[in-house]
């Protein structure tokens, strides 16, 4: 169970507490299958809970999310290099499979680009501050994309406050905060590391 903010999900205003919601419970989405997948296998999990790997990381797999069911994909970064472009390519495949791409309007294009940017920032943050990411988890349900990046780091991600655009560094989580409906951190007792999650909405 994750902790959310006291303001409305559509509010993209300043962070009231200066950091993110932290839960001591299990990771969000833990109702899904426990097995991870390699970079060459995208797990596609429909509303029925059954998983079927795609032929390869370079192939588009899965069905559009128009049926209202929850769709989930997971990518393991074990022994992988170039994890940021790998994560972006994996996410782009999911966006095509779920109907976010190709974009019919400028708003749809912007929404898809926001998802790709947030994935890049979360994975980069794990590389810079947590010895690299372990897994990327993407879910789509009711026009909301939820992203999670797990790592073994002990630090607490937070936007630099006050944020100054001219200063080097510290922009990643500020970008995540500004683009997302909500974001936070989940830790599981007795398990090293954390999951940093973020949610974005499709244009109306």
């Amino acid at each position: 169970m994750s902790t959310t903010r006291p303001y409305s999900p559509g509010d993209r205003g300043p962070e009231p507490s200066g950091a993110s919601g932290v839960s001591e419970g299990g990771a969000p989405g833990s109702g899904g299958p426990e097995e991870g997948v390699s970079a060459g296998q995208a797990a596609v999990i429909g509303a029925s809970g059954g998983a079927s790997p795609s032929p390869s990381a370079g192939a588009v797999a899965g069905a559009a999310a128009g049926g209202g069911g929850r769709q989930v994909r997971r990518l393991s970064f074990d022994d992988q290099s170039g994890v940021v472009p790998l994560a972006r390519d994996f996410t782009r495949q999911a966006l095509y499979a779920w109907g976010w791409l190709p974009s019919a309007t400028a708003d749809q294009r912007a929404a898809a680009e926001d998802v790709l940017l947030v994935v890049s920032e979360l994975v980069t943050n794990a590389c810079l501050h947590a010895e690299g990411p372990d897994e990327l988890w993407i879910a789509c349900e009711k026009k909301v994309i939820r992203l999670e990046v797990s790592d073994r780091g002990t630090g607490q991600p937070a936007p630099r406050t006050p944020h100054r655009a001219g200063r080097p560094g510290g922009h990643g989580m500020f970008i995540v905060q500004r683009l997302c409906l909500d974001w936070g951190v989940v830790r599981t007792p007795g398990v090293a590391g954390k999951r940093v999650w973020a949610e974005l909405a499709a244009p109306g």
Side-chain angles (χ1 to χ4, degrees):
M1 179 176 177
S2 60
T3 303
T4 56
R5 284 167 182 65
Y7 53 78
S8 121
D11 186 352
R12 298 184 186 180
E15 181 74 9
S17 61
S20 59
V22 180
S23 170
E24 294 300 324
S30 58
E34 295 300 320
E35 72 276 12
V37 296
S38 70
Q41 293 178 306
V44 183
I45 306 165
S48 63
S52 59
S54 69
S56 71
V60 175
R70 192 177 198 218
Q71 308 266 350
V72 179
R73 291 188 175 202
R74 298 170 68 184
L75 171 67
S76 171
F77 293 106
D78 289 345
D79 302 320
Q80 297 297 322
S81 60
V83 293
V84 174
L86 180 67
R88 284 179 63 90
D89 289 345
F90 178 80
T91 304
R92 189 178 290 107
Q93 292 170 35
L95 294 177
Y96 271 101
W98 296 338
W100 285 52
L101 289 173
S103 306
T105 67
D107 285 347
Q108 291 172 350
R109 187 178 311 110
E113 286 300 322
D114 286 351
V115 172
L116 294 172
L117 178 55
V118 170
V119 164
S120 297
E121 295 298 339
L122 294 180
V123 173
T124 298
N125 201 58
C127 291
L128 294 176
H129 306 292
E131 301 179 8
D134 290 335
E135 182 182 77
L136 168 63
W137 187 92
I138 311 173
C140 181
E141 184 175 22
K142 295 179 180 177
K143 294 189 176 183
V144 173
I145 292 278
R146 183 179 177 98
L147 309 168
E148 294 185 14
V149 174
S150 63
D151 62 60
R152 295 187 179 91
T154 58
Q156 180 73 9
R160 175 179 287 168
T161 304
H163 179 262
R164 293 187 178 93
R167 291 180 61 185
H171 306 298
M173 297 314 296
F174 177 80
I175 290 171
V176 170
Q177 176 180 278
R178 295 300 295 173
L179 293 180
C180 295
L181 297 173
D182 202 3
W183 72 279
V185 179
V186 174
R187 299 184 189 275
T188 302
V191 177
K194 61 186 178 297
R195 283 179 174 261
V196 183
W197 61 268
E199 294 182 341
L200 300 95

